[in-house]
Amino acid sequence: MQALFPQFTQFDPLTGTIEGAPSLERHLSDLRGYFADQTAYQAAFTQEDALLYTVTNVEPAQGDGALHYGISYLLPGRVGREYYMTKGHFHAWRPAAEYYIGLRGAGLLLFEDEQGHSWSTPITPNSGVYVPGHTAHRTVNTGPEPLVFLGIYPFNAGHDYGTIQERNFSQVVVDVNGQPTVMERSAFLRTLTQI
Ligand code: M6P
Ligand code: ZN
Protein backbone atom coordinates (compact mmCIF):
# COMPACT_ATOMS: atom_id res chain seq x y z
CA MET A 1 0.00 0.00 0.00
CA GLN A 2 1.18 3.48 -0.80
CA ALA A 3 2.28 5.37 2.34
CA LEU A 4 0.14 8.41 3.07
CA PHE A 5 1.86 11.60 4.04
CA PRO A 6 1.15 13.16 6.38
CA GLN A 7 -0.82 10.36 8.02
CA PHE A 8 -0.48 11.86 11.49
CA THR A 9 -0.84 15.61 11.98
CA GLN A 10 -0.58 17.79 15.01
CA PHE A 11 -2.76 20.88 14.91
CA ASP A 12 -3.09 23.90 17.14
CA PRO A 13 -6.68 24.94 17.81
CA LEU A 14 -5.50 28.26 19.26
CA THR A 15 -3.67 29.48 16.16
CA GLY A 16 -5.49 27.35 13.56
CA THR A 17 -2.28 25.93 12.16
CA ILE A 18 -1.20 22.40 11.21
CA GLU A 19 2.43 21.47 11.73
CA GLY A 20 4.32 21.41 8.43
CA ALA A 21 1.39 22.62 6.29
CA PRO A 22 1.41 26.00 4.50
CA SER A 23 -1.33 28.52 5.28
CA LEU A 24 -2.97 30.86 2.82
CA GLU A 25 -4.24 34.29 3.86
CA ARG A 26 -7.46 36.02 2.86
CA HIS A 27 -7.54 39.77 3.31
CA LEU A 28 -10.28 42.38 2.90
CA SER A 29 -9.10 42.92 -0.70
CA ASP A 30 -9.83 39.26 -1.49
CA LEU A 31 -13.47 39.80 -0.46
CA ARG A 32 -14.19 42.91 -2.51
CA GLY A 33 -17.90 42.87 -3.37
CA TYR A 34 -18.81 40.26 -0.76
CA PHE A 35 -19.87 42.52 2.13
CA ALA A 36 -23.27 44.16 1.80
CA ASP A 37 -22.34 47.67 2.98
CA GLN A 38 -20.03 48.97 0.26
CA THR A 39 -19.42 52.32 1.99
CA ALA A 40 -18.31 50.51 5.16
CA TYR A 41 -16.12 48.17 3.07
CA GLN A 42 -14.40 51.11 1.37
CA ALA A 43 -13.84 52.89 4.71
CA ALA A 44 -12.34 49.74 6.27
CA PHE A 45 -10.15 49.02 3.23
CA THR A 46 -8.85 52.61 3.14
CA GLN A 47 -7.64 52.15 6.72
CA GLU A 48 -5.99 48.75 6.22
CA ASP A 49 -6.19 45.66 4.03
CA ALA A 50 -6.93 43.64 7.17
CA LEU A 51 -6.36 39.91 7.45
CA LEU A 52 -9.76 38.19 7.68
CA TYR A 53 -8.79 34.51 7.81
CA THR A 54 -6.18 31.88 7.12
CA VAL A 55 -6.76 28.44 5.62
CA THR A 56 -4.34 25.54 6.11
CA ASN A 57 -5.11 22.54 3.96
CA VAL A 58 -3.60 19.05 3.98
CA GLU A 59 -3.94 16.79 0.96
CA PRO A 60 -2.58 13.42 2.05
CA ALA A 61 -3.79 11.39 -0.94
CA GLN A 62 -5.63 11.58 -4.28
CA GLY A 63 -7.95 9.05 -5.88
CA ASP A 64 -11.26 7.31 -5.20
CA GLY A 65 -12.22 7.49 -1.53
CA ALA A 66 -9.41 9.85 -0.49
CA LEU A 67 -10.05 12.69 1.96
CA HIS A 68 -8.57 16.17 2.26
CA TYR A 69 -8.92 18.42 5.28
CA GLY A 70 -8.06 21.87 6.50
CA ILE A 71 -8.27 24.28 9.40
CA SER A 72 -9.64 27.78 9.03
CA TYR A 73 -8.82 30.61 11.44
CA LEU A 74 -11.35 33.43 11.07
CA LEU A 75 -10.64 36.65 12.96
CA PRO A 76 -13.30 38.56 14.92
CA GLY A 77 -14.44 41.84 13.42
CA ARG A 78 -17.05 43.51 11.25
CA VAL A 79 -17.38 45.49 8.05
CA GLY A 80 -20.06 47.97 9.06
CA ARG A 81 -22.56 45.76 10.89
CA GLU A 82 -21.70 42.58 9.00
CA TYR A 83 -19.40 40.12 10.75
CA TYR A 84 -16.16 38.86 9.22
CA MET A 85 -16.84 35.79 7.10
CA THR A 86 -15.27 33.43 4.57
CA LYS A 87 -15.86 33.80 0.84
CA GLY A 88 -18.06 30.73 0.80
CA HIS A 89 -18.34 28.25 -2.03
CA PHE A 90 -20.20 25.43 -3.69
CA HIS A 91 -18.12 22.36 -4.31
CA ALA A 92 -17.07 22.13 -7.94
CA TRP A 93 -18.14 18.49 -7.74
CA ARG A 94 -21.63 19.31 -6.48
CA PRO A 95 -22.47 16.00 -4.69
CA ALA A 96 -19.44 16.38 -2.37
CA ALA A 97 -20.40 16.81 1.30
CA GLU A 98 -18.11 18.16 4.02
CA TYR A 99 -17.87 17.82 7.78
CA TYR A 100 -16.97 20.79 10.00
CA ILE A 101 -15.74 20.48 13.58
CA GLY A 102 -15.60 23.60 15.75
CA LEU A 103 -12.35 24.03 17.71
CA ARG A 104 -12.45 27.57 19.11
CA GLY A 105 -14.72 30.63 19.22
CA ALA A 106 -18.33 31.00 18.16
CA GLY A 107 -19.97 31.51 14.83
CA LEU A 108 -22.56 30.53 12.29
CA LEU A 109 -22.49 28.49 9.13
CA LEU A 110 -24.70 29.91 6.38
CA PHE A 111 -26.06 27.45 3.83
CA GLU A 112 -27.76 28.00 0.49
CA ASP A 113 -28.82 25.33 -1.98
CA GLU A 114 -29.01 25.64 -5.75
CA GLN A 115 -32.71 26.55 -5.57
CA GLY A 116 -31.88 29.48 -3.29
CA HIS A 117 -33.18 28.00 0.00
CA SER A 118 -31.09 29.22 2.92
CA TRP A 119 -30.57 28.19 6.50
CA SER A 120 -27.90 28.40 9.18
CA THR A 121 -26.42 26.44 12.08
CA PRO A 122 -24.18 27.45 14.97
CA ILE A 123 -20.57 26.31 15.10
CA THR A 124 -18.81 26.14 18.47
CA PRO A 125 -16.02 24.06 20.04
CA ASN A 126 -16.82 20.34 20.24
CA SER A 127 -19.69 20.65 17.79
CA GLY A 128 -19.86 19.18 14.32
CA VAL A 129 -21.85 20.36 11.31
CA TYR A 130 -22.63 18.20 8.30
CA VAL A 131 -22.54 20.22 5.08
CA PRO A 132 -24.65 18.39 2.50
CA GLY A 133 -23.68 18.20 -1.15
CA HIS A 134 -25.15 20.69 -3.65
CA THR A 135 -25.05 23.39 -0.91
CA ALA A 136 -23.00 26.57 -0.73
CA HIS A 137 -21.46 27.19 2.69
CA ARG A 138 -19.94 30.24 4.37
CA THR A 139 -18.64 30.62 7.91
CA VAL A 140 -19.23 33.78 9.96
CA ASN A 141 -17.43 34.74 13.17
CA THR A 142 -20.03 36.24 15.53
CA GLY A 143 -17.87 36.18 18.66
CA PRO A 144 -15.08 38.23 20.25
CA GLU A 145 -12.25 35.73 19.62
CA PRO A 146 -10.99 33.90 16.53
CA LEU A 147 -13.28 31.17 15.18
CA VAL A 148 -11.26 28.05 14.42
CA PHE A 149 -12.70 24.96 12.74
CA LEU A 150 -11.64 21.86 10.88
CA GLY A 151 -13.25 20.88 7.57
CA ILE A 152 -12.99 17.39 6.02
CA TYR A 153 -14.05 16.77 2.42
CA PRO A 154 -13.58 14.35 -0.50
CA PHE A 155 -10.28 14.98 -2.32
CA ASN A 156 -12.11 15.91 -5.53
CA ALA A 157 -14.69 18.28 -3.99
CA GLY A 158 -13.02 21.39 -5.46
CA HIS A 159 -14.09 24.98 -4.81
CA ASP A 160 -16.55 26.83 -7.04
CA TYR A 161 -16.24 30.45 -5.91
CA GLY A 162 -17.63 31.98 -9.09
CA THR A 163 -21.30 31.23 -8.40
CA ILE A 164 -21.16 32.93 -4.98
CA GLN A 165 -19.10 35.82 -6.34
CA GLU A 166 -21.87 36.48 -8.87
CA ARG A 167 -24.98 36.08 -6.75
CA ASN A 168 -23.69 36.05 -3.12
CA PHE A 169 -25.71 34.49 -0.29
CA SER A 170 -29.25 35.77 0.07
CA GLN A 171 -28.76 36.12 3.84
CA VAL A 172 -26.30 38.19 5.86
CA VAL A 173 -25.23 37.98 9.51
CA VAL A 174 -25.23 41.44 11.08
CA ASP A 175 -25.09 43.08 14.47
CA VAL A 176 -28.53 44.29 15.58
CA ASN A 177 -28.40 45.98 18.98
CA GLY A 178 -25.36 43.90 19.93
CA GLN A 179 -26.92 40.59 18.82
CA PRO A 180 -25.70 38.57 15.82
CA THR A 181 -28.76 38.37 13.58
CA VAL A 182 -29.42 36.52 10.33
CA MET A 183 -31.28 38.78 7.89
CA GLU A 184 -32.27 38.77 4.25
CA ARG A 185 -29.62 40.74 2.34
CA SER A 186 -32.33 42.82 0.66
CA ALA A 187 -33.85 43.79 4.04
CA PHE A 188 -30.42 44.72 5.40
CA LEU A 189 -29.66 46.84 2.33
CA ARG A 190 -32.93 48.72 2.87
CA THR A 191 -31.82 49.62 6.43
CA LEU A 192 -28.67 51.19 4.95
CA THR A 193 -30.56 53.52 2.65
CA GLN A 194 -33.01 54.73 5.31
CA ILE A 195 -32.12 58.21 6.54
C1 M6P B 1 -13.12 25.28 5.30
C2 M6P B 1 -13.13 24.37 4.11
C3 M6P B 1 -12.05 24.79 3.11
C4 M6P B 1 -12.25 26.26 2.76
C5 M6P B 1 -12.21 27.12 4.02
C6 M6P B 1 -12.42 28.62 3.80
O1 M6P B 1 -11.94 25.04 6.02
O2 M6P B 1 -14.41 24.40 3.51
O3 M6P B 1 -12.16 23.98 1.97
O4 M6P B 1 -11.28 26.68 1.84
O5 M6P B 1 -13.23 26.66 4.92
O6 M6P B 1 -13.59 28.91 3.08
P1 M6P B 1 -13.54 29.57 1.61
O7 M6P B 1 -12.72 28.61 0.75
O8 M6P B 1 -14.97 29.66 1.21
O9 M6P B 1 -12.88 30.88 1.71
ZN1 ZN C 1 -16.41 23.25 1.23
Side-chain angles (χ1 to χ4, degrees):
M1 201 195 103
Q2 195 195 335
L4 300 180
F5 183 82
Q7 192 168 9
F8 174 83
T9 44
Q10 191 81 52
F11 54 79
D12 183 347
L14 273 183
T15 59
T17 51
I18 302 176
E19 207 173 75
S23 300
L24 72 83
E25 296 188 343
R26 301 280 195 209
H27 291 256
L28 260 185
S29 54
D30 298 306
L31 276 83
R32 183 173 292 281
Y34 284 79
F35 289 94
D37 185 342
Q38 290 181 27
T39 310
Y41 176 87
Q42 205 46 51
F45 182 66
T46 304
Q47 278 206 336
E48 187 198 358
D49 187 11
L51 176 68
L52 299 187
Y53 60 101
T54 66
V55 184
T56 306
N57 285 321
V58 179
E59 304 183 349
Q62 317 286 329
D64 282 355
L67 294 173
H68 287 179
Y69 61 93
I71 289 190
S72 296
Y73 175 91
L74 177 55
L75 286 148
R78 293 196 326 243
V79 172
R81 286 166 50 199
E82 194 173 8
Y83 295 92
Y84 280 4
M85 61 192 184
T86 60
K87 286 181 159 193
H89 57 271
F90 280 98
H91 290 145
W93 180 45
R94 288 290 193 272
E98 182 162 358
Y99 194 67
Y100 276 41
I101 300 168
L103 299 174
R104 178 184 175 193
L108 289 174
L109 260 163
L110 276 184
F111 296 100
E112 191 154 318
D113 68 18
E114 289 174 293
Q115 288 70 45
H117 302 125
S118 344
W119 67 99
S120 58
T121 67
I123 180 155
T124 50
N126 306 319
S127 72
V129 183
Y130 187 87
V131 180
H134 301 274
T135 308
H137 39 290
R138 164 178 285 165
T139 316
V140 184
N141 186 349
T142 55
E145 63 171 308
L147 174 65
V148 183
F149 57 94
L150 182 70
I152 307 165
Y153 46 95
F155 86 102
N156 55 345
H159 294 85
D160 167 11
Y161 292 109
T163 309
I164 292 303
Q165 216 165 2
E166 267 168 39
R167 72 170 209 220
N168 218 329
F169 281 68
S170 61
Q171 295 186 321
V172 293
V173 186
V174 293
D175 176 296
V176 178
N177 302 323
Q179 287 304 312
T181 306
V182 180
M183 270 179 94
E184 291 302 313
R185 177 179 304 277
S186 51
F188 178 60
L189 287 172
R190 280 197 298 275
T191 69
L192 296 177
T193 52
Q194 280 163 10
I195 303 161

